Amino acid sequence: MKDLNGKVAVVTGGGSGIGRGIALAMADAGMHVVVADIDLKAAESVAAEVAERSVRSLAHEVDVTQRDEVERLAERAYDEFEAVHLLCNNAGVTTFGMMGTDVRDEDWLWVLSVNLGGVINGIQAFLPRMQAQAGEKHVVNTASIAGVHPSPIIAPYVASKYAVVGISEALRMEGAGASRSIR
Ligand SMILES: NC(=O)c1ccc[n+]([C@@H]2O[C@H](COP(=O)([O-])OP(=O)(O)OC[C@H]3O[C@@H](n4cnc5c(N)ncnc54)[C@H](O)[C@@H]3O)[C@@H](O)[C@H]2O)c1
């Protein structure tokens, strides 16, 4: 997708860091931006920065681990803008400094449910709507170098990001027309 002007982006984890950077870069390219984050105040602050660039913006509170919340995000984005051309599944978290064997079950679950579950929820909620819409569209799943090279003391993060790379490459093949039924 080369022509971004006037199109619509949704960025999860848009309230800080890389997500904020994506939101502002897309706004600079003329896109309207839905800034979605579990931290509504952060999302609102970035949405205000987006609006300073003479495009429309919307702040939306979402926990990407919850399918119903991501569905509501999709509904709201489509109600407001009628189309979504760029979905950035960017929200991500990590534990740090622990050997994989020492990470508590709830922390494995937290990292996997945000980093992997969030991408799955984004795809399931948005892709059917985006596919039904005419014209170009694109999904970006933020992975990491840790999704192609393993690293110590962040095992849950590595596991989640390998999965994100795998899903993204599989869907890319499907988007290019590949299909095979395996039973
Ligand atoms: N910072 C890096 O060096 C780096 C490197 C490679 C990849 N990444 C990836 O980039 C993405 C963004 O990372 P960042 O460094 O900007 O992090 P960050 O902590 O600055 O931003 C993450 C955002 O996600 C939000 N968030 C957390 N849990 C959420 C949830 N359940 N639902 C919705 N939003 C949630 C946070 O509130 C925060 O605003 C992540 O996927 C991360 O794994 C980061």
Side-chain angles (χ1 to χ4, degrees):
M1 197 165 63
K2 302 265 186 261
D3 182 14
L4 303 178
N5 194 39
K7 296 209 169 94
V8 180
V10 174
V11 186
T12 70
S16 79
I18 291 171
R20 173 177 172 270
I22 294 172
L24 297 184
M26 294 305 103
D28 284 338
M31 294 190 92
H32 310 298
V33 185
V34 179
V35 182
D37 204 287
I38 199 167
D39 180 342
L40 181 59
K41 282 205 177 328
E44 285 172 343
S45 163
V46 174
E49 290 185 272
V50 166
E52 285 166 10
R53 283 144 168 96
S54 305
V55 292
R56 290 166 64 202
S57 70
L58 181 68
H60 186 94
E61 182 177 357
V62 69
D63 178 350
V64 296
T65 69
Q66 303 302 310
R67 172 70 59 81
D68 59 339
E69 293 194 22
V70 183
E71 282 287 346
R72 277 203 292 281
L73 168 64
E75 271 165 31
R76 186 152 180 227
Y78 274 83
D79 281 352
E80 194 78 25
F81 295 103
E82 291 169 3
V84 171
H85 305 91
L86 175 66
L87 169 66
C88 298
N89 288 314
N90 167 78
V93 294
T94 190
T95 54
F96 190 76
M98 276 178 283
M99 304 290 275
T101 47
D102 294 335
V103 178
R104 298 175 307 170
D105 283 350
E106 53 263 47
D107 289 330
W108 275 99
L109 191 60
W110 174 55
V111 174
L112 289 170
S113 62
V114 176
N115 298 6
L116 173 56
V119 168
I120 294 169
N121 287 336
I123 287 166
Q124 299 290 62
F126 279 87
L127 221 56
R129 291 171 163 93
M130 293 172 78
Q131 282 169 333
Q133 162 195 314
E136 289 182 309
K137 45 253 171 178
H138 202 83
V139 177
V140 175
N141 300 320
T142 306
S144 168
I145 194 72
V148 286
H149 292 291
S151 193
I153 66 168
I154 51 169
Y157 187 76
V158 170
S160 70
K161 294 300 185 178
Y162 264 73
V164 169
V165 171
I167 289 173
S168 305
E169 293 192 350
L171 288 182
R172 186 182 181 87
M173 293 166 82
E174 292 172 10
S179 67
R180 187 185 315 164
S181 123
I182 302 170
R183 289 197 184 271

PDB file of all heavy atoms in Angstrom, residues 11 53 56 96 98 128 160:
ATOM      1  N   VAL A  11      -3.979   1.476  15.479  1.00  0.00           N
ATOM      2  CA  VAL A  11      -2.717   1.086  16.099  1.00  0.00           C
ATOM      3  C   VAL A  11      -2.982   0.647  17.530  1.00  0.00           C
ATOM      4  O   VAL A  11      -3.396   1.464  18.371  1.00  0.00           O
ATOM      5  CB  VAL A  11      -1.696   2.247  16.102  1.00  0.00           C
ATOM      6  CG1 VAL A  11      -0.337   1.762  16.620  1.00  0.00           C
ATOM      7  CG2 VAL A  11      -1.546   2.856  14.713  1.00  0.00           C
ATOM      8  N   ARG A  53      -2.098  17.177  13.378  1.00  0.00           N
ATOM      9  CA  ARG A  53      -1.583  17.035  12.005  1.00  0.00           C
ATOM     10  C   ARG A  53      -2.690  17.147  10.960  1.00  0.00           C
ATOM     11  O   ARG A  53      -2.557  16.656   9.834  1.00  0.00           O
ATOM     12  CB  ARG A  53      -0.844  15.704  11.887  1.00  0.00           C
ATOM     13  CG  ARG A  53       0.545  15.785  12.528  1.00  0.00           C
ATOM     14  CD  ARG A  53       0.942  14.504  13.210  1.00  0.00           C
ATOM     15  NE  ARG A  53       2.350  14.506  13.558  1.00  0.00           N
ATOM     16  CZ  ARG A  53       2.825  14.850  14.769  1.00  0.00           C
ATOM     17  NH1 ARG A  53       2.012  15.256  15.722  1.00  0.00           N
ATOM     18  NH2 ARG A  53       4.121  14.800  15.009  1.00  0.00           N
ATOM     19  N   ARG A  56      -8.079  13.131  11.162  1.00  0.00           N
ATOM     20  CA  ARG A  56      -8.979  12.765  12.267  1.00  0.00           C
ATOM     21  C   ARG A  56      -8.322  11.703  13.138  1.00  0.00           C
ATOM     22  O   ARG A  56      -7.529  10.889  12.661  1.00  0.00           O
ATOM     23  CB  ARG A  56     -10.299  12.243  11.703  1.00  0.00           C
ATOM     24  CG  ARG A  56     -11.124  13.335  11.043  1.00  0.00           C
ATOM     25  CD  ARG A  56     -12.234  12.738  10.206  1.00  0.00           C
ATOM     26  NE  ARG A  56     -13.189  12.000  11.009  1.00  0.00           N
ATOM     27  CZ  ARG A  56     -13.993  11.055  10.510  1.00  0.00           C
ATOM     28  NH1 ARG A  56     -13.930  10.730   9.235  1.00  0.00           N
ATOM     29  NH2 ARG A  56     -14.852  10.439  11.297  1.00  0.00           N
ATOM     30  N   PHE A  96      11.366  -9.716  32.173  1.00  0.00           N
ATOM     31  CA  PHE A  96      12.786  -9.540  31.879  1.00  0.00           C
ATOM     32  C   PHE A  96      13.637 -10.058  33.031  1.00  0.00           C
ATOM     33  O   PHE A  96      13.308  -9.843  34.199  1.00  0.00           O
ATOM     34  CB  PHE A  96      13.099  -8.049  31.633  1.00  0.00           C
ATOM     35  CG  PHE A  96      14.480  -7.829  31.103  1.00  0.00           C
ATOM     36  CD1 PHE A  96      14.777  -8.099  29.765  1.00  0.00           C
ATOM     37  CD2 PHE A  96      15.495  -7.388  31.930  1.00  0.00           C
ATOM     38  CE1 PHE A  96      16.048  -7.913  29.280  1.00  0.00           C
ATOM     39  CE2 PHE A  96      16.779  -7.202  31.445  1.00  0.00           C
ATOM     40  CZ  PHE A  96      17.055  -7.466  30.113  1.00  0.00           C
ATOM     41  N   MET A  98      14.467 -13.160  33.980  1.00  0.00           N
ATOM     42  CA  MET A  98      14.264 -14.458  34.630  1.00  0.00           C
ATOM     43  C   MET A  98      14.582 -15.594  33.672  1.00  0.00           C
ATOM     44  O   MET A  98      14.277 -15.515  32.473  1.00  0.00           O
ATOM     45  CB  MET A  98      12.806 -14.587  35.073  1.00  0.00           C
ATOM     46  CG  MET A  98      12.528 -13.954  36.415  1.00  0.00           C
ATOM     47  SD  MET A  98      10.791 -14.116  36.822  1.00  0.00           S
ATOM     48  CE  MET A  98      10.082 -12.863  35.792  1.00  0.00           C
ATOM     49  N   PRO A 128     -11.808 -10.143   8.562  1.00  0.00           N
ATOM     50  CA  PRO A 128     -12.999 -10.349   7.729  1.00  0.00           C
ATOM     51  C   PRO A 128     -13.584  -9.020   7.232  1.00  0.00           C
ATOM     52  O   PRO A 128     -14.000  -8.906   6.083  1.00  0.00           O
ATOM     53  CB  PRO A 128     -13.976 -11.063   8.675  1.00  0.00           C
ATOM     54  CG  PRO A 128     -13.101 -11.713   9.688  1.00  0.00           C
ATOM     55  CD  PRO A 128     -11.937 -10.772   9.873  1.00  0.00           C
ATOM     56  N   SER A 160       6.544 -15.820  22.220  1.00  0.00           N
ATOM     57  CA  SER A 160       5.433 -15.064  21.633  1.00  0.00           C
ATOM     58  C   SER A 160       5.828 -14.461  20.292  1.00  0.00           C
ATOM     59  O   SER A 160       5.042 -14.452  19.353  1.00  0.00           O
ATOM     60  CB  SER A 160       4.969 -13.964  22.595  1.00  0.00           C
ATOM     61  OG  SER A 160       5.927 -12.932  22.714  1.00  0.00           O
TER      62      SER A 160
END
